[in-house]
Amino acid sequence: ALGYVLYALVKSRRHVVLTNLKRCFPEQTLAERECLARDIFVRFAQSWLSRCCGSLTTRSADRMEKVQIRYNIAGPHIA
């Protein structure tokens, strides 16, 4: 959903993406390029969120493991 919101709201980036797609794929119709552009925004948002959330999860797991070691707390291994 975030990618669709970005596509709708960030007009300057949408214009850049559509211009680049037109230069790379002149044989495609505007509708085809717009569909591809929306997909690019969606995948960018997914990648960005995955990277952000993944790094937060990793940091949390690392912190928890350090706490377990420091206080000699037995528990399941956090990956």
Side-chain angles (χ1 to χ4, degrees):
L2 178 61
Y4 292 108
V5 171
L6 291 173
Y7 180 82
L9 295 179
V10 188
K11 294 179 182 181
S12 63
R13 297 310 306 165
R14 182 176 66 224
H15 175 74
V16 169
V17 170
L18 288 170
T19 300
N20 288 341
L21 289 172
K22 184 176 183 177
R23 290 179 180 171
C24 292
F25 305 105
E27 70 282 356
Q28 287 188 340
T29 66
L30 176 59
E32 290 172 325
R33 290 192 304 266
E34 286 175 339
C35 183
L36 185 53
R38 277 190 297 276
D39 190 51
I40 289 168
F41 275 78
V42 168
R43 293 189 189 281
F44 170 78
Q46 289 172 340
S47 175
W48 185 79
L49 287 172
S50 174
R51 183 178 174 112
C52 289
C53 293
S55 102
L56 290 175
T57 303
T58 302
R59 284 189 223 140
S60 296
D62 290 344
R63 264 188 256 136
M64 182 58 78
E65 191 169 8
K66 287 178 184 177
V67 168
Q68 287 177 339
I69 292 168
R70 181 175 180 177
Y71 295 104
N72 197 23
I73 301 170
H77 177 69
I78 300 172

Coordinates of all heavy atoms in Angstrom, one line a residue:
A1 N 0.8 -1.2 0.0 CA 0.0 0.0 0.0 C 0.9 1.3 0.0 O 0.5 2.2 -0.6 CB -0.9 0.0 1.2
L2 N 2.0 1.2 0.7 CA 2.9 2.4 0.8 C 3.4 2.8 -0.6 O 3.4 4.0 -0.9 CB 4.0 2.1 1.7 CG 5.1 3.3 1.9 CD1 4.4 4.5 2.4 CD2 6.2 2.9 2.7
G3 N 3.7 1.8 -1.4 CA 4.2 2.1 -2.8 C 3.2 2.8 -3.6 O 3.5 3.7 -4.4
Y4 N 1.9 2.4 -3.5 CA 0.8 3.1 -4.2 C 0.6 4.5 -3.7 O 0.4 5.4 -4.5 CB -0.5 2.3 -4.1 CG -0.4 1.0 -4.8 CD1 -0.4 -0.2 -4.0 CD2 -0.4 0.9 -6.2 CE1 -0.3 -1.5 -4.7 CE2 -0.4 -0.3 -6.8 CZ -0.3 -1.5 -6.1 OH -0.3 -2.7 -6.7
V5 N 0.8 4.7 -2.4 CA 0.7 6.1 -1.9 C 1.8 6.9 -2.4 O 1.6 8.1 -2.8 CB 0.7 6.0 -0.3 CG1 0.8 7.4 0.3 CG2 -0.6 5.3 0.2
L6 N 3.0 6.4 -2.4 CA 4.2 7.1 -2.9 C 4.0 7.5 -4.4 O 4.3 8.6 -4.8 CB 5.5 6.3 -2.7 CG 6.0 6.1 -1.3 CD1 7.2 5.2 -1.2 CD2 6.3 7.5 -0.7
Y7 N 3.5 6.5 -5.1 CA 3.3 6.7 -6.6 C 2.3 7.9 -6.8 O 2.5 8.7 -7.6 CB 2.7 5.5 -7.2 CG 2.5 5.6 -8.7 CD1 3.5 5.5 -9.6 CD2 1.2 5.9 -9.2 CE1 3.3 5.7 -11.0 CE2 1.0 6.1 -10.6 CZ 2.1 6.0 -11.4 OH 1.8 6.1 -12.8
A8 N 1.3 7.9 -5.9 CA 0.3 9.0 -6.1 C 0.7 10.3 -5.6 O 0.4 11.4 -6.2 CB -1.0 8.6 -5.3
L9 N 1.6 10.4 -4.5 CA 1.9 11.6 -3.9 C 3.2 12.3 -4.4 O 3.3 13.5 -4.4 CB 2.0 11.5 -2.4 CG 0.6 11.1 -1.7 CD1 0.8 11.0 -0.2 CD2 -0.4 12.2 -2.0
V10 N 4.2 11.5 -4.7 CA 5.5 12.0 -5.1 C 5.6 12.1 -6.6 O 6.2 11.4 -7.3 CB 6.6 11.1 -4.5 CG1 8.0 11.7 -4.7 CG2 6.4 10.8 -3.1
K11 N 5.0 13.2 -7.1 CA 4.8 13.4 -8.5 C 6.2 13.6 -9.2 O 6.3 13.2 -10.3 CB 3.9 14.6 -8.8 CG 2.5 14.4 -8.4 CD 1.6 15.6 -8.6 CE 0.2 15.3 -8.1 NZ -0.7 16.4 -8.4
S12 N 7.1 14.3 -8.6 CA 8.4 14.5 -9.2 C 9.1 13.2 -9.5 O 9.7 13.0 -10.6 CB 9.3 15.5 -8.4 OG 9.6 14.9 -7.1
R13 N 9.1 12.3 -8.5 CA 9.8 11.0 -8.7 C 9.0 10.2 -9.8 O 9.6 9.4 -10.6 CB 9.9 10.2 -7.4 CG 10.8 10.9 -6.4 CD 12.1 11.4 -6.9 NE 12.9 10.4 -7.5 CZ 14.0 10.6 -8.2 NH1 14.4 11.9 -8.5 NH2 14.7 9.7 -8.8
R14 N 7.7 10.2 -9.7 CA 6.9 9.5 -10.7 C 7.2 10.0 -12.1 O 7.4 9.2 -13.0 CB 5.4 9.7 -10.4 CG 4.5 8.9 -11.3 CD 3.0 9.0 -10.9 NE 2.6 10.4 -11.1 CZ 1.8 11.0 -10.3 NH1 1.4 10.5 -9.2 NH2 1.4 12.3 -10.5
H15 N 7.4 11.3 -12.3 CA 7.7 11.8 -13.6 C 9.1 11.3 -14.0 O 9.2 10.9 -15.2 CB 7.7 13.4 -13.5 CG 8.2 14.0 -14.8 ND1 7.4 14.1 -15.9 CD2 9.3 14.6 -15.1 CE1 8.1 14.7 -16.9 NE2 9.2 15.0 -16.4
V16 N 10.0 11.3 -13.1 CA 11.4 10.8 -13.5 C 11.3 9.3 -13.9 O 11.9 8.9 -14.9 CB 12.4 10.9 -12.3 CG1 13.7 10.2 -12.5 CG2 12.6 12.4 -12.0
V17 N 10.6 8.5 -13.1 CA 10.5 7.1 -13.5 C 9.8 6.9 -14.8 O 10.2 6.1 -15.6 CB 9.7 6.3 -12.3 CG1 9.4 4.9 -12.8 CG2 10.5 6.3 -11.1
L18 N 8.7 7.6 -15.0 CA 8.0 7.5 -16.3 C 8.8 8.0 -17.5 O 8.8 7.3 -18.6 CB 6.6 8.2 -16.2 CG 5.5 7.6 -15.4 CD1 4.4 8.5 -15.2 CD2 5.1 6.3 -15.9
T19 N 9.6 9.0 -17.3 CA 10.4 9.5 -18.4 C 11.5 8.5 -18.7 O 11.8 8.2 -19.9 CB 11.1 10.8 -17.9 OG1 10.1 11.8 -17.7 CG2 12.1 11.3 -19.0
N20 N 12.1 7.9 -17.6 CA 13.1 6.9 -17.9 C 12.6 5.6 -18.6 O 13.2 5.1 -19.5 CB 13.8 6.5 -16.5 CG 14.7 7.5 -16.0 OD1 15.1 8.4 -16.8 ND2 15.0 7.5 -14.7
L21 N 11.4 5.2 -18.1 CA 10.7 4.1 -18.8 C 10.4 4.4 -20.2 O 10.5 3.5 -21.1 CB 9.5 3.7 -18.0 CG 9.7 3.0 -16.6 CD1 8.4 2.9 -15.9 CD2 10.4 1.7 -16.8
K22 N 10.0 5.6 -20.5 CA 9.7 6.0 -21.9 C 10.9 5.9 -22.8 O 10.9 5.4 -23.9 CB 9.1 7.4 -22.0 CG 8.6 7.8 -23.4 CD 7.9 9.1 -23.3 CE 7.4 9.5 -24.7 NZ 6.7 10.7 -24.7
R23 N 12.0 6.3 -22.2 CA 13.3 6.3 -23.0 C 13.8 4.9 -23.2 O 14.4 4.5 -24.2 CB 14.4 7.1 -22.3 CG 14.1 8.6 -22.3 CD 15.1 9.4 -21.6 NE 14.8 10.8 -21.7 CZ 15.4 11.8 -21.1 NH1 16.4 11.5 -20.2 NH2 15.1 13.0 -21.2
C24 N 13.6 4.0 -22.2 CA 14.1 2.6 -22.2 C 13.1 1.7 -23.0 O 13.6 0.8 -23.6 CB 14.3 2.1 -20.8 SG 15.6 2.9 -19.9
F25 N 11.8 2.0 -22.9 CA 10.8 1.1 -23.6 C 9.9 2.0 -24.4 O 8.7 2.1 -24.1 CB 10.1 0.4 -22.5 CG 10.9 -0.5 -21.6 CD1 11.2 0.0 -20.3 CD2 11.6 -1.6 -22.0 CE1 12.0 -0.8 -19.4 CE2 12.4 -2.4 -21.2 CZ 12.6 -1.9 -19.9
P26 N 10.4 2.6 -25.5 CA 9.5 3.5 -26.3 C 8.3 2.7 -26.9 O 7.3 3.3 -27.3 CB 10.4 4.1 -27.3 CG 11.6 3.1 -27.4 CD 11.7 2.5 -26.0
E27 N 8.5 1.4 -27.1 CA 7.4 0.6 -27.8 C 6.2 0.4 -26.8 O 5.2 0.0 -27.3 CB 8.0 -0.7 -28.3 CG 8.4 -1.7 -27.2 CD 9.7 -1.5 -26.5 OE1 10.4 -0.5 -26.8 OE2 10.0 -2.2 -25.5
Q28 N 6.4 0.5 -25.5 CA 5.3 0.3 -24.6 C 4.3 1.5 -24.6 O 4.7 2.6 -24.8 CB 5.8 0.1 -23.2 CG 6.5 -1.2 -23.0 CD 6.9 -1.4 -21.5 OE1 6.9 -0.5 -20.7 NE2 7.1 -2.7 -21.1
T29 N 3.1 1.2 -24.3 CA 2.1 2.2 -24.2 C 2.2 3.0 -22.9 O 2.9 2.4 -22.0 CB 0.7 1.6 -24.3 OG1 0.4 0.8 -23.2 CG2 0.5 0.8 -25.6
L30 N 1.6 4.1 -22.8 CA 1.6 4.9 -21.6 C 1.1 4.0 -20.4 O 1.6 4.0 -19.3 CB 0.9 6.2 -21.7 CG 0.8 7.0 -20.4 CD1 2.1 7.4 -19.9 CD2 0.0 8.3 -20.7
A31 N 0.0 3.3 -20.7 CA -0.7 2.5 -19.7 C 0.3 1.4 -19.2 O 0.3 1.1 -18.0 CB -1.9 1.9 -20.2
E32 N 1.0 0.8 -20.1 CA 2.0 -0.2 -19.7 C 3.1 0.3 -18.8 O 3.5 -0.3 -17.8 CB 2.6 -0.9 -20.9 CG 1.6 -1.8 -21.7 CD 2.2 -2.3 -23.0 OE1 2.9 -1.5 -23.7 OE2 1.8 -3.4 -23.4
R33 N 3.6 1.5 -19.2 CA 4.7 2.2 -18.5 C 4.2 2.6 -17.1 O 4.9 2.5 -16.1 CB 5.3 3.3 -19.2 CG 6.1 2.9 -20.5 CD 6.9 4.1 -21.1 NE 6.0 5.2 -21.4 CZ 5.5 5.4 -22.6 NH1 5.7 4.6 -23.6 NH2 4.8 6.5 -22.8
E34 N 2.9 3.1 -17.0 CA 2.4 3.5 -15.7 C 2.2 2.3 -14.8 O 2.5 2.3 -13.6 CB 1.0 4.2 -15.9 CG 1.2 5.6 -16.4 CD -0.2 6.2 -16.7 OE1 -1.2 5.5 -16.9 OE2 -0.2 7.5 -16.8
C35 N 1.8 1.2 -15.3 CA 1.7 -0.1 -14.5 C 3.1 -0.5 -14.0 O 3.2 -0.9 -12.8 CB 1.1 -1.2 -15.4 SG 0.8 -2.7 -14.5
L36 N 4.1 -0.5 -14.9 CA 5.4 -0.8 -14.5 C 5.9 0.2 -13.4 O 6.6 -0.2 -12.4 CB 6.3 -0.8 -15.7 CG 7.8 -1.3 -15.5 CD1 7.8 -2.7 -14.8 CD2 8.5 -1.3 -16.8
A37 N 5.7 1.5 -13.6 CA 6.1 2.5 -12.6 C 5.5 2.2 -11.3 O 6.2 2.3 -10.2 CB 5.7 3.9 -13.1
R38 N 4.2 1.9 -11.2 CA 3.5 1.6 -9.9 C 4.2 0.4 -9.3 O 4.5 0.4 -8.1 CB 2.0 1.3 -10.1 CG 1.2 2.6 -10.2 CD -0.3 2.3 -10.1 NE -0.7 1.5 -11.3 CZ -1.1 2.0 -12.4 NH1 -1.0 3.3 -12.6 NH2 -1.5 1.3 -13.4
D39 N 4.5 -0.6 -10.1 CA 5.2 -1.8 -9.6 C 6.6 -1.4 -9.0 O 7.0 -2.0 -8.0 CB 5.3 -2.9 -10.7 CG 5.8 -4.2 -10.1 OD1 5.2 -4.7 -9.1 OD2 6.7 -4.7 -10.7
I40 N 7.3 -0.6 -9.7 CA 8.6 -0.1 -9.2 C 8.5 0.6 -7.8 O 9.2 0.3 -6.9 CB 9.3 0.8 -10.2 CG1 9.7 0.0 -11.4 CG2 10.4 1.6 -9.6 CD1 10.1 0.9 -12.6
F41 N 7.5 1.4 -7.7 CA 7.2 2.1 -6.4 C 6.9 1.1 -5.3 O 7.4 1.2 -4.2 CB 6.2 3.2 -6.5 CG 6.7 4.5 -7.0 CD1 6.9 4.7 -8.4 CD2 6.9 5.6 -6.2 CE1 7.4 5.9 -8.8 CE2 7.3 6.8 -6.6 CZ 7.6 7.0 -8.0
V42 N 6.0 0.2 -5.6 CA 5.6 -0.9 -4.6 C 6.8 -1.7 -4.2 O 7.1 -1.9 -3.0 CB 4.5 -1.8 -5.2 CG1 4.3 -3.0 -4.3 CG2 3.2 -1.0 -5.4
R43 N 7.6 -2.1 -5.2 CA 8.8 -2.9 -4.8 C 9.9 -2.1 -4.1 O 10.5 -2.6 -3.2 CB 9.4 -3.6 -6.1 CG 8.4 -4.6 -6.6 CD 9.0 -5.4 -7.7 NE 8.0 -6.2 -8.4 CZ 7.5 -7.4 -7.9 NH1 8.0 -7.8 -6.8 NH2 6.7 -8.0 -8.6
F44 N 10.0 -0.8 -4.4 CA 10.9 0.0 -3.6 C 10.5 0.1 -2.2 O 11.3 0.0 -1.3 CB 11.0 1.4 -4.3 CG 11.7 2.4 -3.4 CD1 13.1 2.4 -3.3 CD2 11.0 3.3 -2.6 CE1 13.8 3.3 -2.5 CE2 11.7 4.2 -1.8 CZ 13.0 4.2 -1.7
A45 N 9.2 0.4 -2.0 CA 8.6 0.5 -0.6 C 8.8 -0.8 0.1 O 9.2 -0.8 1.3 CB 7.2 0.9 -0.7
Q46 N 8.6 -1.9 -0.5 CA 8.7 -3.2 0.2 C 10.2 -3.4 0.6 O 10.5 -3.9 1.7 CB 8.3 -4.4 -0.8 CG 6.8 -4.5 -1.0 CD 6.5 -5.5 -2.1 OE1 7.3 -5.9 -2.9 NE2 5.2 -5.9 -2.0
S47 N 11.1 -3.1 -0.3 CA 12.5 -3.3 -0.1 C 13.0 -2.4 1.1 O 13.7 -2.8 2.0 CB 13.3 -2.9 -1.3 OG 14.7 -3.0 -1.1
W48 N 12.5 -1.1 1.0 CA 12.9 -0.1 2.1 C 12.4 -0.6 3.4 O 13.1 -0.6 4.4 CB 12.4 1.2 1.7 CG 12.8 2.3 2.6 CD1 14.0 2.9 2.7 CD2 12.0 2.9 3.7 NE1 14.0 3.9 3.7 CE2 12.8 3.9 4.3 CE3 10.7 2.6 4.1 CZ2 12.3 4.6 5.4 CZ3 10.2 3.4 5.2 CH2 11.0 4.4 5.8
L49 N 11.1 -1.0 3.5 CA 10.5 -1.4 4.8 C 11.2 -2.7 5.3 O 11.5 -2.8 6.4 CB 9.0 -1.7 4.6 CG 8.2 -0.4 4.5 CD1 6.7 -0.8 4.2 CD2 8.2 0.4 5.8
S50 N 11.5 -3.6 4.4 CA 12.2 -4.8 4.7 C 13.6 -4.5 5.3 O 14.0 -5.1 6.3 CB 12.3 -5.8 3.5 OG 13.1 -6.9 3.8
R51 N 14.3 -3.6 4.7 CA 15.6 -3.3 5.2 C 15.5 -2.6 6.5 O 16.3 -2.9 7.5 CB 16.3 -2.4 4.2 CG 17.7 -2.0 4.6 CD 18.4 -1.1 3.5 NE 19.6 -0.7 4.0 CZ 20.8 -1.1 3.5 NH1 20.8 -1.9 2.5 NH2 21.9 -0.7 4.0
C52 N 14.6 -1.7 6.7 CA 14.4 -1.0 8.0 C 14.0 -1.9 9.1 O 14.6 -2.0 10.1 CB 13.4 0.2 7.8 SG 14.1 1.6 6.9
C53 N 12.9 -2.6 8.8 CA 12.4 -3.5 9.8 C 13.3 -4.7 10.1 O 13.5 -5.1 11.3 CB 11.0 -4.1 9.4 SG 9.8 -2.8 9.3
G54 N 14.0 -5.2 9.1 CA 15.0 -6.2 9.3 C 16.1 -5.8 10.1 O 16.6 -6.5 11.0
S55 N 16.6 -4.6 9.9 CA 17.7 -4.1 10.7 C 17.3 -3.9 12.2 O 18.1 -4.1 13.1 CB 18.3 -2.9 10.1 OG 18.0 -1.7 10.7
L56 N 16.1 -3.4 12.4 CA 15.6 -3.2 13.7 C 15.5 -4.6 14.4 O 15.8 -4.7 15.6 CB 14.2 -2.6 13.7 CG 14.2 -1.1 13.3 CD1 12.8 -0.6 13.3 CD2 15.0 -0.2 14.3
T57 N 15.0 -5.6 13.7 CA 14.8 -6.9 14.3 C 16.2 -7.5 14.7 O 16.4 -8.1 15.7 CB 14.1 -7.9 13.3 OG1 12.9 -7.3 13.0 CG2 13.9 -9.2 13.9
T58 N 17.2 -7.3 13.8 CA 18.5 -7.8 14.0 C 19.1 -7.1 15.2 O 19.7 -7.8 16.1 CB 19.4 -7.6 12.8 OG1 18.8 -8.3 11.7 CG2 20.8 -8.2 13.0
R59 N 19.0 -5.8 15.3 CA 19.5 -5.1 16.4 C 18.9 -5.5 17.7 O 19.6 -5.7 18.7 CB 19.3 -3.6 16.2 CG 20.3 -3.0 15.2 CD 20.2 -1.5 15.3 NE 20.2 -1.0 13.9 CZ 19.5 -0.1 13.4 NH1 18.7 0.6 14.2 NH2 19.6 0.3 12.1
S60 N 17.6 -5.8 17.7 CA 16.9 -6.2 18.9 C 17.4 -7.6 19.3 O 17.6 -7.8 20.5 CB 15.4 -6.3 18.7 OG 14.9 -5.0 18.4
A61 N 17.6 -8.5 18.4 CA 18.1 -9.8 18.7 C 19.5 -9.8 19.2 O 19.8 -10.5 20.2 CB 18.0 -10.7 17.4
D62 N 20.3 -8.9 18.6 CA 21.7 -8.8 19.1 C 21.7 -8.3 20.6 O 22.4 -8.8 21.4 CB 22.5 -7.8 18.2 CG 22.8 -8.4 16.9 OD1 22.6 -9.7 16.7 OD2 23.2 -7.7 16.0
R63 N 20.9 -7.2 20.8 CA 20.8 -6.7 22.2 C 20.3 -7.7 23.2 O 20.9 -7.9 24.3 CB 19.9 -5.5 22.2 CG 20.6 -4.2 22.1 CD 19.7 -3.0 22.3 NE 19.5 -2.4 21.0 CZ 18.3 -2.1 20.5 NH1 17.3 -2.1 21.2 NH2 18.2 -1.6 19.3
M64 N 19.3 -8.5 22.8 CA 18.8 -9.5 23.7 C 19.8 -10.6 24.0 O 20.0 -11.0 25.1 CB 17.5 -10.1 23.1 CG 16.9 -11.2 24.0 SD 16.4 -10.5 25.6 CE 14.9 -9.7 25.2
E65 N 20.6 -11.0 23.0 CA 21.6 -12.0 23.2 C 22.7 -11.4 24.1 O 23.2 -12.2 25.0 CB 22.2 -12.4 21.8 CG 23.1 -13.6 21.9 CD 23.4 -14.2 20.6 OE1 23.1 -13.5 19.6 OE2 24.0 -15.2 20.5
K66 N 23.1 -10.2 24.0 CA 24.1 -9.6 24.9 C 23.6 -9.5 26.3 O 24.3 -9.8 27.2 CB 24.4 -8.2 24.4 CG 25.3 -8.2 23.2 CD 25.6 -6.8 22.7 CE 26.4 -6.8 21.4 NZ 26.6 -5.4 20.9
V67 N 22.3 -9.2 26.5 CA 21.7 -9.2 27.8 C 21.7 -10.6 28.4 O 22.1 -10.8 29.6 CB 20.3 -8.6 27.8 CG1 19.5 -8.9 29.1 CG2 20.3 -7.1 27.5
Q68 N 21.4 -11.6 27.6 CA 21.4 -13.0 28.1 C 22.8 -13.4 28.5 O 23.0 -14.0 29.6 CB 20.8 -13.9 27.0 CG 19.4 -13.8 26.8 CD 18.9 -14.8 25.7 OE1 19.7 -15.2 24.9 NE2 17.6 -15.1 25.7
I69 N 23.8 -13.0 27.8 CA 25.1 -13.4 28.1 C 25.6 -12.6 29.3 O 26.2 -13.2 30.2 CB 26.1 -13.1 26.9 CG1 25.8 -14.1 25.8 CG2 27.5 -13.2 27.3 CD1 26.4 -13.7 24.4
R70 N 25.3 -11.3 29.4 CA 25.8 -10.5 30.5 C 25.2 -11.0 31.8 O 25.9 -11.0 32.9 CB 25.4 -9.1 30.3 CG 25.8 -8.1 31.4 CD 25.6 -6.7 31.0 NE 26.0 -5.9 32.1 CZ 25.9 -4.6 32.1 NH1 25.5 -3.9 31.0 NH2 26.3 -3.9 33.1
Y71 N 23.9 -11.3 31.8 CA 23.3 -11.7 33.1 C 23.1 -13.2 33.2 O 22.5 -13.7 34.1 CB 21.9 -11.0 33.2 CG 22.0 -9.5 33.3 CD1 21.8 -8.7 32.2 CD2 22.5 -8.9 34.5 CE1 21.9 -7.3 32.3 CE2 22.6 -7.6 34.6 CZ 22.3 -6.8 33.5 OH 22.5 -5.4 33.6
N72 N 23.8 -14.0 32.3 CA 23.8 -15.4 32.4 C 22.4 -16.0 32.4 O 22.0 -16.8 33.3 CB 24.6 -15.9 33.6 CG 25.0 -17.4 33.4 OD1 25.0 -17.9 32.3 ND2 25.2 -18.1 34.6
I73 N 21.6 -15.5 31.5 CA 20.2 -15.9 31.4 C 20.1 -17.0 30.4 O 20.5 -16.8 29.2 CB 19.2 -14.7 31.1 CG1 19.4 -13.6 32.1 CG2 17.8 -15.2 30.9 CD1 18.7 -12.4 31.7
A74 N 19.5 -18.1 30.7 CA 19.3 -19.2 29.7 C 18.0 -18.9 29.0 O 17.1 -18.4 29.5 CB 19.2 -20.5 30.4
G75 N 18.1 -19.1 27.7 CA 16.9 -18.9 26.9 C 17.1 -19.4 25.5 O 18.3 -19.8 25.2
P76 N 16.1 -19.4 24.7 CA 16.3 -19.9 23.3 C 17.2 -18.9 22.6 O 17.3 -17.8 22.8 CB 14.9 -19.9 22.8 CG 14.1 -18.9 23.6 CD 14.8 -19.0 25.0
H77 N 18.0 -19.5 21.7 CA 18.9 -18.7 20.8 C 18.0 -17.8 20.0 O 17.1 -18.2 19.3 CB 19.8 -19.6 20.0 CG 20.7 -18.8 19.1 ND1 21.7 -18.0 19.5 CD2 20.6 -18.6 17.7 CE1 22.3 -17.4 18.5 NE2 21.6 -17.7 17.4
I78 N 18.4 -16.5 19.9 CA 17.7 -15.6 19.1 C 18.4 -15.4 17.8 O 19.6 -15.0 17.8 CB 17.5 -14.2 19.9 CG1 16.8 -14.4 21.2 CG2 16.8 -13.2 19.0 CD1 16.7 -13.2 22.0
A79 N 17.7 -15.6 16.7 CA 18.4 -15.5 15.4 C 17.8 -14.3 14.7 O 16.8 -13.8 14.9 CB 18.2 -16.7 14.6

